[in-house]
Amino acid sequence: MMKRSELHIQSAFVTFLAIFLLNFNVIASGSNVNSSGANTAGAGSNTEASGTQVIPSSENARAVFNLNRSWLFHKGGFEFGYNDKFNDAAWEKIELPHTWNASDPFDDDDGYYRGTGWYRKRIIIPEQYSDRQCWLRFEGANQVADVYVNGMFAGRHKGGYTAFSVDITPFIETGDTPNLIAVSVSNAHDPYIPPLSVGYALYGGIYRDLDLVFTMPVHFSLSDHGSCGIRQSTTVVNGDLTVLHARARVTNHTEKNVKTQLQVALKDPSGRLVNRKDTLLLLPGGADGMNASLSMEVPDPVLWSPDNPFLYDVEYTLLVDGKIADYQQVPLGIRSIALDPQKGFFLNGEKLFLRGTNRHQDFQGKGSALTNEDHVRDLKIIKEMGCNFVRLAHYPQDPAVLHACDSLGLLVWEEIPLVNYITTDPAFYENTKEMLREMIRQHYNHPSVITWGSMNEIFLWGKNARRMRTQEDPVYAGQVRQLALLLDSTIRAEDATRFTAMAVHGSSDYARYGLTGISDILGLNVYSGWYSGELKHFSGTIRKAHERYPDQAIIVSEYGAGSDSEVNSNTPERFDFSVQYQQLYHESYLGQMKEMDKLTGAAIWNQFDFSQPWTGGTIPHVNQKGMYTWDRRPKDVYYLYKANYSKEPFVRIASREWNVRAERAGKKGNLEMQPVKVYTNAGRVKLWVNGKSYGTKGPDITGTITWNAVLHPGENQVIAQAIKSKKNIADTMQISAIVLPSQLVLINPQEVDLAINCGSNVQYYAGGNTVWLADQPYVPGGFGYVGGEKMMLQKDIALKGTGDPALFFQYLFNPESYHFDLPDGKYLVHVTFAEPDLPGEQRVFEITCNDQSKVRCEVSSRDPLSTSAQQAVLNVTASGGKGIDIRFGAISGEPVISAIRVTANSNESL
């Protein structure tokens, strides 16, 4: 092995090597070992107090050590960050996985950091490894990574969602000398690397695991597009016999010809040997990636399926002179798949409807830097909901995700991050193809994967990087089609055992320019009743798709509606983000899908709320369509799908997101006719509220039952009970009711705290004692507006400067007045508002309370993507039984009001 001192002498060679590697897209090493770490040696390697990691000795032919701990990080780019003399004493101490964007996409500052970050770490490599090959294996770094070892350039990788490895053998020193590893990572926009635009945060950093790998000079290849160097597939001959086809790519780093023996042993989960076969291979000196292939019979195979995710272990051993030169263990699931465009998907010869969801990889507070345990938790949640299918949107995901899908029994659609639009340049095409090859070769051995996706909603934007309704450039559209054909053919050449897929949005451009018909599966992203149209239009959209594309299997690749657990309504409407509208949406879609016998499958958008910078809604910068919140709390609608998809008998009161309610009292001082919903797969259910029975009902086609019940002031106990398979199944919860007097004049003026979500049909509750009530026209004895129009902010406008963004998403436009029939007393009136028209001229209006106090409001925004919350506070006295009358006067532009809160004013000095 060359030492660093020898390399310094050969400066001309080093310069040539660096230039060569800088232009070489580093080919990666996959992590296709089993989750038990059969190929991992010394997982508990030392880290000294100085931060230098000491690699322990290992006798394993392949030794793998995790390098996640004890890194130094600096956000920002500069020259010579790889230099050993560079002073990094002030750098931040971090551990991997890591992203520098865990919080900044979601604050009030414009944009988020997209640039360069530097990582540095020192390791000591024992002399024992002086005759080994040494690799750094990254599971993912977003999105361009330059790797340096001991000041010398070792390699570059482009693309943020696939693994890669770097051969650092020529650059390391063994013995007591620390080796400096420095990695420069950039998530800056690059017109030649997809994705160009995304509906999620493009997190930067080394956000997946990083390993140090030692191999013997003869080993399974680590330079096959990120794969483990092994490819296996099966052919089901009949129900009693399967043939395993195994291929291994082998590398010889010596200068001599080497005779090798490849042993392949198939074992069941208990470790029992099922079959074994050997083959010989003569490796020329310097050979990189010679193939050794063999086939063996699998008698009496146990088939893999979502109901029985049975995994064999295939052990690959490489022998040189009778000694183990390399070893890997790869799980094997035996299954057959087929598609019939008119009948759907078949697994192991039986039709299976793909009950699915989509999954993004980020998590609140962590960004994309999730642990393997985080990933596995997410997949368990999906499985427990009853899904058998998951679309990994919109990029290849962590190896732990694919392993979890294999072991849990979840079928997978995996795709590359080609979304919205393309750059019409050969460099872009080649980078996209490389991502596709890496994804397929790295994840080829996973039985869970049934289809590879090439692109998503590629006509959503035009080549000018702007969202478009219609593609008006036929030349550009033709170039997109050529890329679609190229990628589809690449998938078929790489993997003839699976299907190709493409997802499209509701545009006729795909058919007009010939993109439909290319892939085996056409994924339809359908949002009838959310972005446009009505809920009932969903079934018609799918029926027409089957008529237009009879030769393609149809999957609803996305459908969903956003919700906010703090926003609830008895009168839900499209785009209000209420819990109840999301429930209504999914109940409607599920009911319609039960009548679609040709539909292959459907995937909810999304299983978890996820990052979406530059979007609005009631939670800015977050896509709120999840079955779970971003921090992984279940929404009530999750249990709708469990009622339809899971075999586990259960009853769930689906009102936990509305467990605090406030309204004016009915005739008997209670909240009357309040809906209580239950999701169940257990047959007839009986409901009690505060010990009173509301009768027994059976669920509708979607497992939904709704009662109207009376809630008393304070805590109310709700119990739902059913009998399934002779077992009592019950659920219970508490609903807190805040009851206002039917006449507001009955309130003690010293206790007044009345909050109105102006222009909105929803209640907003974020904790504490205040519930922001839905708005209404003025009702004598109560409150309400006179004149004006209820409006919503544009969905892409994000709100700044408030902890209560839900109050601003809907607003009252150009009201004449607002009236509260409160008792005589002294009050503070808080009026909040934000500019809804962006950008626009300055809006000026006056607010006057009881002709006593007046405030001039000036509001404007020059930012086309955000607006800021503002507030005016007025001191007012109600007297003579006239309550509070708030008047709005336009000076320049119409008044806009988001919320009004009236509180008692106990400060006599005001």
Side-chain angles (χ1 to χ4, degrees):
M1 177 179 292
M2 285 193 288
K3 304 299 182 181
R4 185 165 52 176
S5 57
E6 296 174 297
L7 284 171
H8 284 167
I9 295 172
Q10 302 174 42
S11 58
F13 170 75
V14 171
T15 302
F16 167 78
L17 181 65
I19 294 173
F20 171 77
L21 288 176
L22 183 62
N23 292 283
F24 181 74
N25 200 16
V26 175
I27 299 176
S29 150
S31 139
N32 226 356
V33 299
N34 68 345
S35 58
S36 66
N39 291 340
T40 300
S45 49
N46 295 331
T47 300
E48 295 181 349
S50 64
T52 300
Q53 183 171 347
V54 180
I55 304 302
S57 298
S58 172
E59 298 300 324
N60 290 356
R62 175 176 292 222
V64 182
F65 303 97
N66 182 263
L67 297 184
N68 283 356
R69 296 189 299 175
S70 301
W71 285 83
L72 297 176
F73 170 73
H74 177 82
K75 187 170 75 174
F78 43 76
E79 295 181 323
F80 308 116
Y82 50 82
N83 194 304
D84 187 58
K85 304 300 182 183
F86 194 94
N87 186 356
D88 57 17
W91 287 22
E92 179 185 0
K93 296 179 180 179
I94 62 98
E95 294 187 359
L96 306 181
H98 174 265
T99 176
W100 55 72
N101 296 124
S103 60
D104 66 329
F106 319 106
D107 57 28
D108 279 353
D109 294 335
D110 291 337
Y112 61 100
Y113 182 71
R114 293 193 60 179
T116 299
W118 276 92
Y119 296 83
R120 286 164 59 106
K121 177 186 179 74
R122 289 173 171 83
I123 60 174
I124 293 176
I125 300 174
E127 190 68 32
Q128 173 197 356
Y129 298 107
S130 61
D131 61 346
R132 301 284 195 99
Q133 299 299 122
C134 184
W135 306 77
L136 290 175
R137 186 177 65 203
F138 296 76
E139 289 186 353
N142 205 8
Q143 66 178 351
V144 178
D146 289 322
V147 181
Y148 301 84
V149 177
N150 292 326
M152 291 168 284
F153 179 77
R156 165 177 284 186
H157 182 261
K158 297 179 181 179
Y161 302 101
T162 45
F164 62 98
S165 64
V166 182
D167 185 357
I168 63 172
T169 309
F171 313 115
I172 64 170
E173 288 192 2
T174 57
D176 298 329
T177 303
N179 293 267
L180 174 64
I181 301 170
V183 186
S184 170
V185 183
S186 173
N187 69 334
H189 177 79
D190 189 319
Y192 303 109
I193 302 176
L196 301 179
S197 74
V198 292
Y200 50 92
L202 194 68
Y203 298 100
I206 306 176
Y207 71 100
R208 293 179 183 167
D209 293 334
L210 171 58
D211 290 333
L212 182 70
V213 182
F214 293 101
T215 66
M216 295 296 188
V218 176
H219 58 85
F220 295 115
S221 176
L222 279 81
S223 57
D224 183 18
H225 296 81
S227 77
C228 65
I230 292 169
R231 174 179 288 209
Q232 59 188 28
S233 61
T234 58
T235 301
V236 179
V237 179
N238 54 54
D240 300 322
L241 181 66
T242 291
V243 176
L244 167 64
H245 307 283
R247 189 194 76 181
R249 291 173 63 90
V250 183
T251 295
N252 177 12
H253 279 283
T254 72
E255 297 179 355
K256 298 179 181 180
N257 297 341
V258 177
K259 291 182 180 180
T260 63
Q261 182 182 7
L262 173 66
Q263 293 183 348
V264 180
L266 176 68
K267 297 182 177 180
D268 67 15
S270 69
R272 181 183 68 88
L273 182 66
V274 176
N275 203 347
R276 175 177 170 176
K277 198 167 185 179
D278 300 356
T279 188
L280 296 176
L281 181 68
L282 177 62
L283 291 172
D288 184 10
M290 283 195 65
N291 291 329
S293 301
L294 59 80
S295 297
M296 70 170 68
E297 294 182 354
V298 185
D300 301 318
V302 179
L303 300 185
W304 183 97
S305 71
D307 289 337
N308 182 33
F310 187 94
L311 292 173
Y312 295 89
D313 286 321
V314 187
E315 296 179 352
Y316 292 82
T317 305
L318 198 63
L319 299 173
V320 176
D321 296 330
K323 297 180 180 180
I324 296 176
D326 204 356
Y327 171 88
Q328 290 201 70
Q329 184 173 310
V330 182
L332 171 70
I334 299 174
R335 86 294 184 267
S336 65
I337 56 176
L339 274 180
D340 185 320
Q342 300 301 314
K343 296 180 180 179
F345 174 75
F346 290 80
L347 178 68
N348 301 326
E350 297 183 2
K351 183 175 179 178
L352 180 69
F353 183 78
L354 298 175
R355 307 186 305 266
T357 189
N358 285 264
R359 191 253 183 182
H360 266 296
Q361 68 181 7
D362 63 347
F363 184 96
Q364 185 175 8
K366 292 187 176 184
S368 60
L370 274 64
T371 65
N372 289 342
E373 291 75 16
D374 290 328
H375 291 298
V376 173
R377 175 208 56 228
D378 281 2
L379 275 300
K380 286 182 177 179
I381 288 171
I382 291 171
K383 182 68 176 182
E384 289 167 2
M385 193 173 77
C387 286
N388 58 27
F389 172 59
V390 60
R391 178 177 176 226
L392 302 179
H394 293 299
Y395 38 78
Q397 297 194 10
D398 193 286
V401 171
L402 278 299
H403 285 298
C405 290
D406 291 343
S407 61
L408 292 171
L410 286 167
L411 297 160
V412 171
W413 166 338
E414 191 171 33
E415 62 193 24
I416 57 173
L418 186 60
V419 297
N420 297 353
Y421 76 110
I422 72 170
T423 298
T424 56
D425 185 275
F428 182 87
Y429 300 163
E430 186 54 40
N431 285 331
T432 305
K433 284 178 59 180
E434 181 66 12
M435 287 184 180
L436 195 56
R437 291 190 192 99
E438 289 182 345
M439 175 182 72
I440 294 172
R441 296 196 188 186
Q442 289 172 28
H443 297 160
Y444 182 93
N445 294 327
H446 292 283
S448 55
V449 179
I450 60 172
T451 187
W452 306 111
S454 60
M455 56 181 57
N456 176 77
E457 296 186 347
I458 202 64
F459 278 148
L460 190 64
W461 291 35
K463 67 177 182 179
N464 59 356
R466 293 181 181 177
R467 188 160 182 161
M468 304 182 70
R469 289 186 177 274
T470 302
Q471 294 291 329
E472 298 175 349
D473 185 342
V475 175
Y476 170 74
Q479 292 167 323
V480 173
R481 182 176 186 275
Q482 289 303 312
L483 180 58
L485 289 167
L486 173 65
L487 298 179
D488 193 81
S489 63
T490 299
I491 296 174
R492 295 177 191 276
E494 287 286 331
D495 185 1
T497 70
R498 294 180 172 95
F499 312 119
T500 67
M502 175 191 303
V504 304
H505 71 294
S507 169
S508 61
D509 289 330
Y510 298 98
R512 186 190 327 166
Y513 294 113
L515 270 73
T516 53
I518 292 176
S519 58
D520 299 318
I521 295 172
L522 182 62
L524 302 181
N525 298 345
V526 184
Y527 292 94
S528 301
W530 184 247
Y531 291 122
S532 62
E534 299 180 36
L535 295 174
K536 63 183 181 182
H537 294 160
F538 172 57
S539 58
T541 298
I542 305 306
R543 183 183 66 254
K544 291 177 182 177
H546 284 297
E547 294 171 354
R548 291 173 180 170
Y549 315 117
D551 297 326
Q552 286 181 287
I554 303 296
I555 289 179
V556 182
S557 41
E558 296 179 20
Y559 69 99
S563 76
D564 181 343
S565 298
E566 297 175 346
V567 171
N568 290 273
S569 178
N570 280 324
T571 56
E573 60 186 44
R574 183 175 76 91
F575 232 73
D576 65 4
F577 288 95
S578 68
V579 168
Q580 290 67 36
Y581 188 80
Q582 186 186 46
Q583 292 176 346
L584 181 65
Y585 179 102
H586 284 280
E587 290 162 10
S588 175
Y589 271 51
L590 266 175
Q592 293 177 71
M593 280 192 287
K594 289 179 182 290
E595 307 298 326
M596 299 177 186
D597 57 349
K598 294 183 179 181
L599 186 64
T600 297
I604 304 161
W605 188 264
N606 197 283
Q607 187 66 24
F608 308 100
D609 289 352
F610 61 91
S611 69
Q612 190 172 356
W614 301 118
T615 195
T618 60
I619 308 175
H621 312 301
V622 174
N623 190 302
Q624 301 169 227
K625 299 185 184 70
M627 301 292 98
Y628 265 60
T629 61
W630 197 19
D631 59 351
R632 303 313 193 254
R633 289 176 290 110
K635 300 181 183 180
D636 286 335
V637 72
Y638 171 85
Y639 297 93
L640 168 68
Y641 282 93
K642 192 166 184 178
N644 285 268
Y645 289 171
S646 175
K647 295 179 182 179
E648 173 194 351
F650 83 103
V651 170
R652 177 76 174 191
I653 302 170
S655 297
R656 280 169 169 78
E657 292 180 277
W658 201 7
N659 61 352
V660 178
R661 310 185 187 190
E663 285 186 18
R664 291 170 66 191
K667 294 180 180 179
K668 296 183 179 181
N670 298 314
L671 298 189
E672 298 181 354
M673 304 301 288
Q674 288 292 304
V676 177
K677 182 176 288 187
V678 164
Y679 292 136
T680 184
N681 59 4
R684 296 182 65 80
V685 178
K686 189 171 184 179
L687 185 79
W688 288 268
V689 179
N690 297 324
K692 177 182 177 180
S693 172
Y694 282 85
T696 302
K697 292 185 178 182
D700 65 12
I701 193 174
T702 67
T704 303
I705 312 173
T706 303
W707 290 263
N708 286 317
V710 173
L711 300 181
H712 304 321
E715 295 298 315
N716 295 264
Q717 185 182 53
V718 183
I719 300 173
Q721 186 175 43
I723 297 177
K724 179 76 171 181
S725 302
K726 298 182 180 181
K727 294 182 179 179
N728 286 319
I729 305 168
D731 189 28
T732 183
M733 68 166 293
Q734 301 286 324
I735 297 178
S736 178
I738 299 172
V739 182
L740 303 175
S742 58
Q743 299 293 311
L744 297 185
V745 72
L746 299 176
I747 303 177
N748 183 333
Q750 300 301 314
E751 298 176 353
V752 168
D753 188 350
L754 193 60
I756 312 300
N757 189 5
C758 294
S760 178
N761 62 303
V762 304
Q763 286 192 10
Y764 167 62
Y765 176 69
N769 297 318
T770 301
V771 177
W772 295 83
L773 303 177
D775 206 357
Q776 64 184 31
Y778 172 64
V779 177
F783 65 89
Y785 58 86
V786 176
E789 181 181 3
K790 291 184 175 182
M791 304 282 283
M792 289 184 180
L793 286 177
Q794 299 175 35
K795 72 177 185 65
D796 293 327
I797 295 177
L799 187 72
K800 298 180 179 181
T802 179
D804 297 301
L807 292 178
F808 295 81
F809 181 68
Q810 298 182 65
Y811 63 96
L812 192 60
F813 176 77
N814 198 26
E816 296 176 17
S817 63
Y818 213 100
H819 202 81
F820 295 87
D821 287 343
L822 288 166
D824 293 352
K826 294 183 178 182
Y827 302 98
L828 289 177
V829 176
H830 311 253
V831 182
T832 58
F833 47 88
E835 174 57 54
D837 296 328
L838 306 176
E841 302 208 358
Q842 189 172 45
R843 186 185 304 273
V844 182
F845 58 93
E846 289 183 336
I847 304 175
T848 306
C849 284
N850 286 4
D851 294 324
Q852 300 170 8
S853 58
K854 180 184 293 187
V855 65
R856 178 185 174 95
C857 302
E858 298 183 3
V859 56
S860 64
S861 178
R862 299 301 176 191
D863 189 334
L865 295 174
S866 64
T867 188
S868 296
Q870 299 188 48
Q871 185 179 77
V873 181
L874 298 92
N875 181 21
V876 63
T877 299
S879 61
K882 295 181 179 180
I884 298 175
D885 184 50
I886 308 170
R887 297 280 171 174
F888 306 96
I891 297 175
S892 174
E894 297 85 352
V896 289
I897 306 301
S898 299
I900 298 176
R901 184 174 185 178
V902 180
T903 60
N905 180 7
S906 58
N907 191 340
E908 297 294 334
S909 64
L910 290 177

